[in-house]
Each structure stands twice: as C-alpha cells, then as structure tokens.
C-alpha cells in the first residue's frame, strides 16, 4: 500500500512538509509506503479548460508541458493521497490549486479515477485562513468519491518561519493521529 503526498508550498521542506512527514512516520510504522512530491521549483500551471481529457479519456492531461501528468500517475498508483498547502492570503497556493484543477478534471473525465482512495488535506498557517485551505482541499476529495480520513482536530499546524510549526504541540499531535487513522482505514479497505 502506498500514500503519495504533494506539498503545494513554494518553500521546500518548510512547515507543510514537516506536518506531512509526521503523518508519514505513523504510516511507515504501519508498513505503508510513502512518497512526498514537493511542488516548489517544479512548475505546474492551471487548467486551460480545453476539455481534451474528456475527449481522450486516457488518464492523462492533454498538456504534457509540466509535472501534472507525473502527479496524476502517482495519484492513480496510490491508495492514499495527501495534498498539503500553506495558507496564502486566506487560500491555497497557486501550485496546489493548479494540481487540484488539473488532476481533478482528468479524474472526472476518467470515471472518477481516484474513487475510494483515502484522502487528507494538510495545512500550514501563521494566523488565519487555514480552515478555508483545509475545506478547499477536501472539495477535491469529496467530489471524486474519495474517502476523507479525519484526525483529532482539523489538519492544521501553526507557524510562520520554516520549522516554527514544531512548536505547535496540538498541530503535531493532529498530524500523528491523522497518520494513525489513515493507516487504520487503508488496512481495512485493502485487507
Ligand atoms: C504569499 C504568502 C501569503 C500568506 N498568507 C497568509 C495568510 O493569509 N494567513 C496566514 O495565517 N499566513 C499566511 N502566510 C504565512 C504562511 O501560511 C506560513 O508561513 C506557513 O507556515 C508557510 O508554510 P511553508 O513553510 O510550508 O511554506 C502567507 C505566506 C506567504 C508567503
């Protein structure tokens, strides 16, 4: 079993990555393979609304000029998908939104290709707007017949500078609980 996570931050190995890695520790403990793909420095552009994915239905985006198809293939091959994003002006990052729009449209064009995979959003925030980011990510999972796994709080960690999230005890516990719950669910869905 495998969980693929995408870090939509423009900052590699920052707070969002640290939060995802805490969930990963628990998944690894349960024998589940993990992979983190960080979008920082790997450009991905938004959907151009060409609708070629619906014409072709080949599980790919028609625009093969960035990492979107690599991301889509990794989602297709995984049992669980984590999408992480820091909060930028009360919303998700442009990179995370591009990933959601491109992979989401290809998923819809191909009979909900992520159907019944397990999904979770992970959010870093300095002060406000994190819940909106969390909700936005969950829209991707729930429109595609995915199963969203919960934790002991909404999956949000607080910090500004890289690493500051390590001081948010409750945020760290939330991510560990998320990893435990995700492993629990994955094992029951894939006995
Ligand atoms: C362009 C930009 C916009 C931001 N907007 C917000 C915001 O609306 N609310 C907030 O609490 N923090 C905001 N922040 C702070 C980040 O969410 C915070 O530093 C987060 O921990 C960064 O995660 P990262 O280390 O994974 O990049 C913003 C940061 C940047 C660079």
């Amino acid at each position: 079993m495998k969980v693929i996570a995408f870090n939509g931050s423009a900052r590699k190995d920052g707070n969002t990555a640290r939060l995802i890695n805490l969930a990963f520790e628990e998944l690894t403990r349960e024998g589940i393979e993990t992979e983190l793909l960080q979008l920082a420095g790997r450009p991905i552009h938004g959907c151009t609304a060409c609708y070629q994915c619906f014409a072709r239905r080949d599980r790919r985006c028609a625009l093969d000029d960035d990492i979107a198809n690599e991301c889509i293939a990794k989602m297709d091959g995984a049992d669980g998908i984590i999408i992480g994003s820091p909060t930028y002006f009360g919303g998700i990052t442009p990179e995370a939104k591009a990933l959601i729009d491109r992979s989401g449209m290809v998923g819809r064009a191909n009979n909900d290709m992520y159907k019944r995979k397990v999904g979770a959003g992970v959010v870093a925030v300095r002060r406000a707007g994190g819940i909106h980011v969390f909700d936005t990510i969950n829209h991707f999972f729930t429109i595609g017949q995915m199963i969203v796994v919960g934790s002991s709080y909404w999956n949000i960690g607080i910090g500004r500078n890289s690493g500051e999230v390590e001081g948010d005890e409750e945020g760290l516990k939330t991510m560990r609980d998320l990893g435990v719950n995700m492993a629990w669910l994955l094992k029951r869905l894939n006995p």
Side-chain angles (χ1 to χ4, degrees):
M1 270 181 292
K2 182 169 177 179
V3 172
I4 176 74
F6 301 93
N7 175 14
S9 174
R11 184 158 66 180
K12 203 176 173 198
D13 297 321
N15 290 322
T16 310
R18 283 162 204 256
L19 294 168
I20 291 169
N21 280 322
L22 278 173
F24 272 8
E25 280 177 23
E26 301 303 327
L27 288 161
T28 305
R29 210 188 305 281
E30 292 297 325
I32 293 165
E33 193 187 335
T34 59
E35 182 183 350
L36 174 61
L37 195 154
Q38 306 206 53
L39 300 182
R42 304 200 62 198
I44 179 167
H45 63 76
C47 176
T48 61
C50 69
Y51 289 99
Q52 281 301 303
C53 50
F54 279 89
R56 300 181 185 194
R57 299 189 196 277
D58 61 355
R59 304 173 94 80
R60 296 176 62 79
C61 178
L63 298 176
D64 219 353
D65 54 357
D66 60 16
I67 61 162
N69 278 322
E70 182 185 337
C71 295
I72 291 165
K74 285 185 188 293
M75 287 188 186
D76 203 12
D79 305 287
I81 301 170
I82 293 175
I83 296 182
S85 176
T87 307
Y88 281 7
F89 284 85
I92 60 174
T93 64
E95 291 81 5
K97 188 66 167 72
L99 174 71
I100 285 174
D101 291 354
R102 300 275 296 286
S103 59
M105 205 54 123
V106 171
R108 293 185 70 66
N110 290 277
N111 222 2
D112 287 339
M113 61 192 263
Y114 320 116
K115 180 176 178 176
R116 297 190 185 142
K117 294 180 188 290
V118 174
V122 166
V123 180
V125 64
R126 180 187 75 83
R127 184 174 179 86
I131 197 67
H132 178 53
V133 175
F134 184 62
D135 292 345
T136 301
I137 297 170
N138 283 331
H139 293 155
F140 170 79
F141 302 133
T142 52
I143 200 173
Q145 305 190 53
M146 290 181 63
I147 300 162
V148 177
V149 61
S151 183
S152 45
Y153 201 86
W154 300 310
N155 310 331
I156 297 171
I158 296 170
R160 182 179 65 176
N161 297 332
S162 195
E164 241 178 58
V165 81
E166 308 279 1
D168 174 20
E169 278 299 326
E170 190 172 359
L172 303 185
K173 179 180 182 320
T174 303
M175 300 307 150
R176 286 193 207 99
D177 290 341
L178 173 67
V180 170
N181 291 343
M182 201 167 194
W184 182 93
L185 184 56
L186 282 167
K187 286 187 168 178
R188 274 149 190 84
L189 290 172
N190 305 277

